Amino acid sequence: MSLKDVLMPFTAWGNLFKEPVTVKDSRNVEAAPRYRGFHVNDVDTCIGCGTCEEICQNAAIDLVEVAGRDAKEGDSGLRPMIDYGRCCWCALCVDVCTTRSLGMSNEYKWVSSDPEDFRFVPGVDEKSWNDNNKGYFKMDGYDLYSTERVEMGELHPEERDKSFVEMIQGFSKEQAQKEADRCVACGICTATCPAHMGIPQYIEAIRNDDLEEGLRILYETNPLPEICGRICTHKCETVCSLNHKGDPLSIRWLKRYIADQIPESKYKEILETENITKNGKKVAIVGAGPAGLSAAHYLALMGYEVKIFEVQEAPGGMTRYGIPEYRLPYEMIDKDVDYIKSLGVEFQFGTRVGVDVPLETLEKEFDAVFAGTGLHLGRSTRVPGSDHKRVYQAIDLLRDVSYGKEIDLAEKVVVVGGGNVAMDITRTIARLQNKKFGKVNVTATCLEAEGSMPADDEEVIEAREENATIDPGWGPQEIIVENGEIKGLKVAKCLRIFDDEGRFNPSMDMENQKVFEADMIVESIGQAMDISYTDNIKEKLTFGPRGRIQVSPDFQSNIPWLFIGGDIIQGPDVIHGIANGHKAAKGIDKFLKSK
Ligand SMILES: Cc1cc2nc3c(=O)[nH]c(=O)nc-3n(C[C@H](O)[C@H](O)[C@H](O)COP(=O)(O)OP(=O)(O)OC[C@H]3O[C@@H](n4cnc5c(N)ncnc54)[C@H](O)[C@@H]3O)c2cc1C
Ligand code: SF4
Ligand code: SF4
């Protein structure tokens, strides 16, 4: 042993009089401004998407119910609770938070003898650091996922303004996978979708390039994926959590991508529907629209013999006879319907129930009936001149176009209405005028002012790109007729649409009037139902508000064998029809099994 080794322990004594390197009492020391301390959460901005919970590798986050906060569209009502016994302060939850509501204060000191105190809901439970602005927050422009959508290819206005060729081109595999990669799998979309589709699950199937699995997930809740993949009102996208700080996911186009990649001939094998055991019971369906088709599909899978009675010559309802082909090609409707036919569903076209076949006959010959007859009567403005023969209903013209009939088109047309149906007829007329006259002269006008038109913004933009004029904020007063010919539509500036009680009661500035020149007027201000086929049983049926037949959550009327759904009950859009048809199919099955 050397002398140095002997003296070494005593050299430590020298440190006694030096400044300590470590902190004696950490409670009085401030953390650095960006220190990651206890979490804070702006609970009004948070939507309870659970993405933070999902990413946490330590299972330190649980989404929990909090008092006074209920689930609503786009908000699960839950809020993250953090367990500081597990949290390692990695801040991944902050980096991934879709709304940027979650952050970390720079407060890291908390003394309590109760371990339960270290599990709390930031922003809900009172904490001294709740208003602390220092700490770790997601920086602007920094995200773990892309906030921008993969752009969808579409035909330029000059390529589409004379043609009914589909304008949206669809994703390639690379584009679809890139877009699917943006999904944080929160599922907030599923709660909002009327059919509660397994959206994050089919998006994951795209990411995994397992499109057969994707198709199976689609068909669990939606038997019209080609139709919905093109024209669904995509309520899911309006609540997508990515919408809070970027573009929502292109959920509709991703659904279309799956269906587009798989030929219908492979569906039965993939969906394992080659051998369905029949149960010997029969169900009649009135109307081959989305509601009727959906009910037929799920009933056929349950083993029922299903026959659809349809007044038109082809299936699809308003998706074929309303929605123009440039948005939804007929062959795509056929693809969805061909698969339903392949399950054994029978169709009888050109048959109006209530006229060609009484409803009572269906009652006698079938075990149950589902009616999904839609809204097929146009509503008139009833202004003077609206009974002129050159005043048309949008849905009648759109039906004629679908049948390939030549419509008696004028060079100057005015469309009354500002919804999506009005945009469909305006853009259809623009194409037909361009083909026939080489120029477009169609004006759509409505009560609502610019910015509050009921039509989707993209529809208005695209109509203008196709050279239609959209001049909103006017109320129709009179259709001017001279020598038996329409000369125009007189309108007055609309001041407001609803009165103080919220009733539809438009008021106009009669000092501010003008005339839209026109040789032909098209009205597109809404549709009504024709349920005259129920006339013989009307006294037995219970009606609810707005003349709608009352139904149970299973869409069963108070006449047990009669189920009713789709636009005549709820909607009006395709996905509600699909959801109604599916629920009605389950209801019919329950009813017939209990008989
Ligand atoms: C121009 C237009 C554009 C639209 N665009 C969109 C869109 O982009 N996205 C969207 O989601 N929705 C859209 N909709 C709405 C959508 O088409 C409807 O909500 C949907 O088709 C309703 O489905 P349904 O089955 O209830 O009724 P329908 O589709 O109307 O089908 C009812 C069927 O019943 C038949 N029928 C009626 N009475 C009888 C009878 N007595 N006997 C036998 N058959 C009968 C009809 O001929 C019809 O085929 C649009 C509608 C229109 C008019
Ligand atoms: S990720 Fe953000 S918005 Fe979603 S639950 Fe967590 S804190 Fe709330
Ligand atoms: S599509 Fe949007 S809302 Fe749906 S799971 Fe993905 S991120 Fe969430």
Side-chain angles (χ1 to χ4, degrees):
M1 187 183 283
S2 69
L3 183 63
K4 193 179 164 203
D5 290 337
V6 175
L7 293 176
M8 185 72 97
F10 299 102
T11 58
W13 288 95
N15 292 330
L16 254 183
F17 306 101
K18 286 190 184 156
E19 274 292 302
V21 177
T22 52
V23 178
K24 227 180 191 175
D25 183 358
S26 69
R27 277 172 294 184
N28 298 321
V29 177
E30 287 267 318
R34 295 254 302 151
Y35 192 84
R36 299 179 203 158
F38 292 114
H39 291 75
V40 285
N41 194 11
D42 175 353
V43 282
D44 292 330
T45 304
C46 171
I47 53 169
C49 67
T51 312
C52 48
E53 179 186 38
E54 194 66 27
I55 205 165
C56 180
Q57 300 302 295
N58 300 325
I61 302 183
D62 260 335
L63 270 273
V64 295
E65 288 180 6
V66 295
R69 208 167 275 278
D70 296 323
K72 57 179 193 237
E73 211 161 83
D75 182 350
S76 71
L78 306 175
R79 294 296 178 261
M81 180 177 77
I82 321 264
D83 179 349
Y84 290 93
R86 289 170 169 267
C87 176
C88 69
W89 282 271
C90 67
L92 268 180
C93 51
V94 175
D95 287 341
V96 84
C97 174
T98 54
T99 62
R100 292 173 190 265
S101 65
L102 196 64
M104 285 162 132
S105 69
N106 77 337
E107 185 57 68
Y108 64 97
K109 290 163 283 181
W110 172 249
V111 180
S112 173
S113 54
D114 183 355
E116 278 307 308
D117 282 349
F118 291 89
R119 198 162 36 207
F120 56 81
V121 182
V124 171
D125 293 322
E126 268 310 306
K127 295 292 168 208
S128 59
W129 54 83
N130 275 356
D131 296 325
N132 179 340
N133 293 324
K134 289 183 197 164
Y136 184 80
F137 295 90
K138 190 150 115 178
M139 282 181 292
D140 277 343
Y142 170 73
D143 277 293
L144 287 180
Y145 43 78
S146 164
T147 51
E148 280 173 27
R149 280 181 163 199
V150 173
E151 213 177 307
M152 169 56 73
E154 61 179 69
L155 295 183
H156 291 292
E158 56 281 5
E159 291 172 290
R160 64 179 199 244
D161 62 5
K162 289 185 202 56
S163 116
F164 282 80
V165 170
E166 183 170 29
M167 56 177 283
I168 300 292
Q169 289 163 334
F171 280 144
S172 65
K173 176 174 166 179
E174 193 195 9
Q175 289 172 317
Q177 289 190 330
K178 195 167 168 209
E179 182 65 6
D181 257 349
R182 299 174 60 227
C183 177
V184 295
C186 64
I188 230 140
C189 44
T190 296
T192 298
C193 169
H196 303 304
M197 295 193 72
I199 297 165
Q201 292 79 10
Y202 70 69
I203 290 177
E204 189 185 347
I206 294 175
R207 262 203 308 261
N208 297 340
D209 198 20
D210 187 353
L211 299 188
E212 295 193 357
E213 174 64 4
L215 194 78
R216 280 189 285 272
I217 296 166
L218 294 183
Y219 268 85
E220 281 171 12
T221 47
N222 186 340
L224 303 175
E226 290 286 17
I227 294 177
C228 269
R230 285 171 167 78
I231 56 79
C232 183
T233 42
H234 55 88
K235 301 190 186 322
C236 49
E237 293 181 19
T238 59
V239 299
C240 173
S241 49
L242 303 191
N243 209 4
H244 288 265
K245 293 293 166 202
D247 298 335
L249 216 78
S250 295
I251 302 174
R252 178 175 52 168
W253 302 146
L254 288 172
K255 175 162 51 244
R256 165 180 166 167
Y257 169 74
I258 297 177
D260 276 0
Q261 310 315 307
I262 305 176
E264 189 267 312
S265 55
K266 284 190 152 185
Y267 278 20
K268 282 186 100 169
E269 187 195 331
I270 295 169
L271 300 171
E272 295 174 21
T273 53
E274 280 157 318
N275 301 307
I276 301 170
T277 314
K278 294 279 176 202
N279 64 16
K281 295 203 170 134
K282 297 199 295 182
V283 180
I285 290 186
V286 190
L293 290 168
S294 171
H297 168 265
Y298 291 108
L299 285 163
L301 290 187
M302 292 171 200
Y304 290 94
E305 230 173 81
V306 184
K307 184 166 180 180
I308 304 186
F309 296 84
E310 167 58 53
V311 66
Q312 301 299 339
E313 295 303 328
M318 278 301 188
T319 64
R320 183 184 299 269
Y321 293 107
I323 299 176
E325 220 188 339
Y326 61 84
R327 288 209 287 131
L328 176 59
Y330 303 138
E331 66 195 273
M332 292 303 149
I333 304 173
D334 292 339
K335 183 177 173 191
D336 283 345
V337 177
D338 283 350
Y339 169 65
I340 295 173
K341 276 185 189 160
S342 77
L343 301 177
V345 173
E346 211 187 312
F347 288 77
Q348 184 171 319
F349 294 112
T351 305
R352 184 178 287 279
V353 172
V355 175
D356 304 310
V357 183
L359 193 57
E360 296 83 331
T361 308
L362 301 188
E363 182 206 350
K364 279 190 206 106
E365 292 181 5
F366 294 83
D367 296 290
V369 177
F370 173 78
T373 47
L375 308 172
H376 289 259
L377 301 177
R379 289 187 198 275
S380 171
T381 56
R382 295 179 192 273
V383 295
S386 58
D387 54 354
H388 192 280
K389 65 177 190 323
R390 297 285 274 153
V391 177
Y392 299 88
Q393 286 297 324
I395 47 169
D396 294 341
L397 291 184
L398 287 166
R399 188 185 315 117
D400 285 350
V401 173
S402 305
Y403 270 119
K405 288 187 193 161
E406 199 178 328
I407 65 171
D408 188 9
L409 194 65
E411 280 193 54
K412 279 178 274 174
V413 181
V414 168
V415 173
V416 186
N420 283 331
V421 177
M423 292 304 111
D424 280 343
I425 189 63
T426 301
R427 297 176 64 186
T428 296
I429 287 172
R431 283 166 169 75
L432 295 175
Q433 283 181 327
N434 226 337
K435 272 198 203 169
K436 187 167 173 183
F437 308 117
K439 60 179 187 222
V440 174
N441 188 339
V442 56
T443 301
T445 186
C446 60
L447 295 169
E448 294 85 358
E450 184 84 47
S452 41
M453 288 173 65
D456 294 342
D457 290 346
E458 65 196 31
E459 284 290 324
V460 178
I461 292 166
E462 287 165 6
R464 284 181 170 141
E465 284 173 356
E466 290 157 10
N467 294 321
T469 304
I470 314 292
D471 192 347
W474 301 94
Q477 301 303 302
E478 181 191 348
I479 291 166
I480 301 168
V481 181
E482 284 173 19
N483 302 323
E485 302 287 318
I486 288 181
K487 292 293 166 197
L489 174 77
K490 189 192 274 182
V491 291
K493 193 74 196 163
C494 180
L495 297 173
R496 64 176 193 174
I497 301 174
F498 298 98
D499 62 21
D500 291 339
E501 277 78 48
R503 283 183 303 235
F504 180 76
N505 188 11
S507 74
M508 308 293 158
D509 176 0
M510 299 311 277
E511 302 294 309
N512 186 358
Q513 298 197 34
K514 68 174 180 177
V515 174
F516 289 116
E517 280 185 36
D519 321 312
M520 168 181 174
I521 307 283
V522 182
E523 295 180 317
S524 180
I525 58 163
Q527 289 120 243
M529 61 183 160
D530 172 5
I531 50 163
S532 52
Y533 55 90
T534 63
D535 277 354
N536 293 343
I537 52 166
K538 222 170 200 157
E539 319 82 70
K540 291 190 212 149
L541 280 170
T542 308
F543 287 82
R546 294 163 60 205
R548 294 199 171 169
I549 298 171
Q550 255 180 16
V551 290
S552 72
D554 287 340
F555 294 88
Q556 187 174 28
S557 74
N558 63 314
I559 299 179
W561 54 266
L562 182 60
F563 289 70
I564 303 174
D567 273 5
I568 51 174
I569 298 293
Q570 198 187 25
D573 60 13
V574 168
I575 193 68
H576 274 99
I578 289 170
N580 289 186
H582 192 177
K583 281 194 192 137
K586 289 185 198 160
I588 290 170
D589 187 49
K590 197 162 75 180
F591 163 64
L592 292 179
K593 279 186 174 148
S594 69
K595 259 173 83 167

